[in-house]
Amino acid sequence: MSPDAKPTDFSAARIHETVQQILTAGMLPAIVQAGHPVLRHVAAPFDGQLTAAELGQLIDLMRSVMHKAPGVGLAAPQLGIPLQLAVLEDQFDVDPEVAAVRGREPLPFFAMLNPSYRPLGASTVAFYEGCLSLNGLQAAVSRPESVRLDFLAPDGGARQRDFSGWQARIVQHETDHVHGILYLDRAELRSISNNAEYSARWAQPDISLARQELGFLPDATAAASA
């Protein structure tokens, strides 16, 4: 650790201070990129570090950052805030063939605190993913096709929801973020592509061509649902 480096501070006071700095800056904050330690620690569970008004303002700001990026999810650590909070929304127009293969349906906006998920069934699917904290890269990730999400809503109520298809992928990706996990930790490393190569070669509805040409998931049954 360099002399100027500081460990990530998970104290309530530091979280509150960081949020206040972001809320009063008068501009949308930059998205933290891979290599920042805040992305590699389990964030602090929400237990009242922010008032209801502050939490609402932060959620609104995170939604704006997500839209500007643009993306379908954003976790508080991606703004340098070590707090278990994420916002999710998928309203993008997608080619019907792509949507059908990927099981992609619109996901209305919601915010989740202290999320955790567990698979529903044994079925997994593999598709390319990207991340706002890993600019310029895409990689194939195998994930459970359906999950059950437990979380707190911003009003403090405990919630449980089931998700499948692309919605389940978004939920898993953002929940992983607040637990210090990046999608590359779960990715097929031979599938990694920069955005230009992905767009030119592998942006088909499924990963079958990329799997064959790049030599990942060689067992066809491992990606049978992809």
Side-chain angles (χ1 to χ4, degrees), residues 19-20 22-24 51-64:
V19 170
Q20 281 301 311
I22 290 173
L23 292 179
T24 59
T51 67
E54 291 168 334
L55 180 60
Q57 292 171 26
L58 178 58
I59 289 171
D60 289 343
L61 181 140
M62 289 175 63
R63 188 179 190 183
S64 296

Side-chain angles (χ1 to χ4, degrees), residues 32 48 85 93 107 128 169:
V32 168
L85 165 66
D93 290 328
L107 176 63
Y128 268 90
R169 184 167 296 267

